[in-house]
Amino acid sequence: MKVLVIGGGAREHALCRSLSLDPDVNALYCAPGNAGIAEVAELRPVDALDGAAVAGLATELGADLVVIGPEAPLVAGVADAVRAAGIPVFGPSAEAAQLEGSKAFAKDVMAAAGVPTARSYVCTTPEEVDAALDAFGAPYVVKDDGLAAGKGVVVTEDLDAAREHALACDRVVIEEYLDGPEVSLFAVTDGTTVVPLQPAQDFKRALDGDEGPNTGGMGAYSPLPWADPKLVDEVLETVLQPTVDELRHRGTPFSGLLYAGLAITSRGVRVIEFNARFGDPETQVVLARLQTPLAGLLSSAAKGTLESQPPLTWREDAAVTVVIASHNYPGTPRTGDPIEGLAEVAAEDGPDAYVLHAGTRREGDAVVSAGGRVLSVTATGSDLAQAREKAYEAVARIRLDGSHHRTDIAAKAAGTA
């Protein structure tokens, strides 16, 4: 199988790493990729938002499967263009991707499907904003209706800050605050059959102790030792399958990766949001534990044959990933700084710990920072405590001027906090 992955972050590096280990994959390409992905896949330039260009590249390469990593190309209809070219693609249509592209659309689908979620108001005027904020009270949850790269949500006790964020958005969803821990659960679907993966938890705040501004994610771990063993089955029955069924009934079947961001509240499981693609950094830990070859799974979703897919197999190991971010992230990050220590991690820590590149590029013989989140240092171990220890040992070998990372990823779950 020849596989083309679209994107260039740590999620795509994790996908490419797993695909490169699949014996059925005899050619692997990534466009545009990054310095780390270049070690496991052949890089090609492409505008990831240009459906015709992506379809043309896939045709030129003779790709048997295209895997679209980020949300923006999906919302832009890139999967539709690839499908129209007759090439199997893992990723939903532009219409189905509105599940992530529009919070209001997602709320409408959930209401129709009977999926448990927070009560909410969709607001387009200052008067509607004020009424909604007043109705729910603090803490205020304010979400930009459109895509915002994981940073469009503000949760705050400060009414002025909530109102300021709401008024900066064209259309905004204001909803009740959901208490309890958060869980990310991915499911592979062909529009009918839904196959859930193992749950993970990520850390959105920039600083230890869940302090600081929201980010795209500063680390993650899997499995969740504190979660109810029946959680995945419950979410499949009450959230994932009803959502996929509702979209199919609407004539906009969702084929690809359905990501449910969940809150385990005092009143039961509630959906915080849906995403239409693998989450970053949770993909890094979920794929580290997946034993089933990835290409066959994604291909069967793309071709509508998921029903015949054998049950997934998982490693017993736990996995932890720690994000190393550049100076000033999540503000305007500094780029162009040399990254040192990558060879040391490969020599000293492999295969239990490895580095997945996010915002990097090669300059001559050097690898330099090229984005806000620069690296995802990922490790596996017999339990979370061991995986955590290995991850942070590897993090300590990396040198990137001005960088920062959280020191408490998975600490509480591992019993080391």
Side-chain angles (χ1 to χ4, degrees), residues 11-322:
R11 162 188 46 224
E12 288 76 33
H13 194 173
L15 287 164
C16 285
R17 179 181 181 273
S18 290
L19 290 165
S20 73
L21 298 171
D22 187 330
D24 287 337
V25 175
N26 58 2
L28 180 60
Y29 306 93
C30 187
N34 63 38
I37 296 174
E39 295 173 15
V40 294
E42 188 179 316
L43 302 191
R44 292 298 180 97
V46 80
D47 176 355
L49 296 175
D50 184 338
V54 172
L57 176 61
T59 302
E60 176 196 327
L61 295 172
D64 301 299
L65 175 67
V66 175
V67 179
I68 300 175
E71 60 273 22
L74 293 168
V75 172
V78 171
D80 302 271
V82 176
R83 274 196 194 92
I87 299 168
V89 58
F90 184 80
S93 67
E95 279 190 281
Q98 284 302 303
L99 206 55
E100 176 168 6
S102 168
K103 305 287 189 301
F105 176 80
K107 287 289 187 184
D108 184 62
V109 170
M110 283 188 267
V115 169
T117 186
R119 292 179 301 123
S120 64
Y121 295 104
V122 179
C123 307
T124 55
T125 68
E127 293 75 23
E128 289 173 346
V129 165
D130 289 340
L133 292 171
D134 185 53
F136 289 129
Y140 304 101
V141 182
V142 184
K143 299 180 176 181
D144 190 333
D145 180 55
L147 292 181
K151 291 175 284 214
V153 179
V154 166
V155 181
T156 179
E157 298 277 350
D158 184 335
L159 176 59
D160 291 335
R163 191 170 189 275
E164 182 184 0
H165 181 64
L167 296 178
C169 306
D170 289 337
R171 188 157 81 144
V172 68
V173 174
I174 295 174
E175 62 185 42
E176 67 175 326
Y177 176 76
L178 297 174
D179 63 341
E182 294 186 12
V183 173
S184 299
L185 184 61
F186 302 160
V188 172
T189 178
D190 58 8
T192 302
T193 302
V194 182
V195 178
L197 306 186
Q198 289 285 307
Q201 186 174 57
D202 78 331
F203 295 76
K204 287 291 186 202
R205 299 283 183 175
L207 307 175
D208 284 7
D210 290 329
E211 299 288 328
N214 237 9
T215 71
M218 294 299 291
Y221 69 91
S222 180
L224 312 181
W226 48 268
D228 186 328
K230 298 191 287 289
L231 175 66
V232 173
D233 289 340
E234 180 190 340
V235 174
L236 174 61
E237 187 181 324
T238 63
V239 174
L240 300 169
Q241 191 71 57
T243 300
V244 168
D245 291 346
E246 171 63 23
L247 285 165
R248 188 177 66 256
H249 294 150
R250 290 179 177 217
T252 55
F254 187 104
S255 166
L257 196 289
L258 178 57
Y259 162 162
L262 308 164
I264 313 302
T265 77
S266 52
R267 293 174 294 140
V269 174
R270 297 287 185 274
V271 175
I272 301 169
E273 65 177 0
F274 282 126
N275 291 326
R277 38 72 198 182
F278 280 102
D280 185 342
E282 301 98 319
T283 301
Q284 289 86 301
V285 291
V286 173
L287 292 186
R289 299 185 56 227
L290 179 66
Q291 224 165 0
T292 297
L294 186 61
L297 175 63
L298 303 188
S299 180
S300 61
K303 293 175 179 174
T305 58
L306 207 50
E307 193 180 13
S308 58
Q309 171 77 27
L312 301 184
T313 55
W314 296 89
R315 296 184 179 88
E316 292 295 318
D317 286 359
V320 171
T321 194
V322 179

